[in-house]
Each structure stands twice: as structure tokens, then as C-alpha cells.
Amino acid sequence: MPISRTRADIECWLTDMDGVLVHEDRPLPGAKELLQQWKDAGTEFLVLTNNSIFTPRDLAARLRASGLHVPEERIWTSALATADFLHDQAPGGSAYVIGEAGIITALHEIGFTMTDTDPDFVVIGETRSYSFEAITKAIRLIAAGARFISTNPDATGPSADGILPATGAINALITKATGRVPYIVGKPNPMMFRSALNKIGAHSEVTGMIGDRMDTDIIAGMEAGLHTVLVMTGISDPAVVETYPFRPDEMLESVQDLVDPKPIASELDEPHADV
């Protein structure tokens, strides 16, 4: 029988970062209060992001500058999920990596060797400095038999001047040249959520996922068996939701709606002056 859950059944939370907790380095309504509520209650939680450029320490510092205090051990990135997956696939393996500190550090920490000579994997992550030479090397290594892995499928990313080509665009270029499709570990692959659940020792039946995107957060949360909450502070709005054949368990204006209201003192609780 299908599992019937309400928010009251949820004991642990996963939450997206951009569009849910912050927007352009500004905290969104309720984010600070919700994080504090979880900490005060001892609720297990992780902040998730598909961004593989930065390490959890970098992201914790970014959130702190926005006024949100999230310990680095409470941050789970597509880079960490990718490293977790590759460690299971080939402990102590090797990889040729296109990416930055987030993915390179994650792979070093699981004991992988970075090499451009006969690697087990070619790993494509986010970077702001893609080079033709590096992409050419990746194509040749994949054609020679290296397994093609990517941290996330996002085709574009934001900048002050407009959109930028992102990981998914480079994935497509390499696929066109090699005929090989990457295995993508980040959202919407529910594997990223399952590895996050393992990190905090949570069970899908009592875990909720908060996101702002139907095509990544909500579908991956649904496929991982989580209680899904869509907020309207990021990409999606009610009109966008209508275009999908599935629905989140809840639709809220912001995470402020997940913050427990403060109790209002009644007249009986108020102190009375002695007569």
C-alpha cells in the first residue's frame, strides 16, 4: 500500500540551497528561523546543491556571509555525491577531471588519483574556465575506454551578465563527439538523495525534501521516496507546476511556512499585579 505521510511524520530534512535558503547571497524569508528550529530540536538535516565548484567549507562561508550559519558537515554537494559513488565503484581508482576545487578535493579525500594517462573515469564538473584542450583530452580518453561521469546535468548557470554554459552543455559537447552519454550523479538522480540519507543515517519514509525546482528537487525527492515540499522563492511557480504530470506533497510560498509559530501568551499566563 502507498505510504500516507503528513509533515508531522517527518523527522529529518534535506533542503536545496539556492532559491530556497538564499537568493543571490541574500537569505530568503524564514531560512534563518528554520535552520535554528532544526538545530534547537536536534533535527537531522543537510543542505544540498548541484554546484560542484565549491567545497562544503567554501559554501558554509558563503552562507555565513549571508547571515545563515550552516556547519560544513551539514552541506552535501554533487561533488561529494559523485566522489561517494566513485568510491563504491572503484575504491582507490583514478580520474581525469574537468572541474574546480569542489570535485577535485572530494575525489582526493576518497583516495582517488588525478591523471591524464589511462584513467578509470573522466569526470566533468562545474568550472568557469573550460578549455578546448581539456575537453579534447576528455573526449580522447572516453573514446579510449574511460568511463564518462558528470556531477550534474545543469546546462546553464547564472551570472551578472546573463546565462553561462554549465556542466550539462559540456556533457552534450562530449556526447556529440564520442557517442557516449555520461552517468550523472547529481539531481535529478535520486542517488544524490540516497547518499545524503546515508550520511545522516535517515530513512526515506521519515525524511522531507524542500526545493524550488520541479525538474530536479521534486522529481528526485519523489523517486527517492521522500515527502516533497516545493517553495515559490526560486524557479517554479504554480503555472510551471501545472506543466508537469506529477505534484509535490506540499506547495508553500517560502520556508517561512515551515517555521513553527511562536506561542502567544494568553491572558491567564500574564502576570497580575497584587491587589
Side-chain angles (χ1 to χ4, degrees), residues 125-185:
E126 193 86 14
T127 177
R128 292 291 180 261
S129 57
Y130 293 109
S131 78
F132 182 79
E133 291 77 12
I135 293 170
T136 299
K137 172 64 75 172
I139 288 168
R140 290 172 178 168
L141 291 171
I142 291 168
R147 286 174 274 176
F148 185 11
I149 304 291
S150 179
T151 60
N152 70 84
D154 304 329
T156 62
S159 80
D161 299 318
I163 63 171
L164 297 169
T167 314
I170 305 306
N171 294 344
L173 188 159
I174 295 172
T175 293
K176 191 69 174 179
T178 62
R180 304 272 291 280
V181 176
Y183 182 74
I184 299 172
V185 179

Side-chain angles (χ1 to χ4, degrees), residues 242-275:
E242 289 300 317
T243 66
Y244 287 86
F246 54 89
R247 296 289 181 271
D249 293 303
E250 297 186 71
M251 290 173 56
L252 305 175
E253 284 301 313
S254 72
V255 293
Q256 180 69 60
D257 294 328
L258 292 169
V259 178
D260 294 335
K262 293 182 179 179
I264 300 173
S266 68
E267 291 185 4
L268 294 175
D269 295 327
E270 294 176 358
H272 295 280
D274 293 333
V275 178

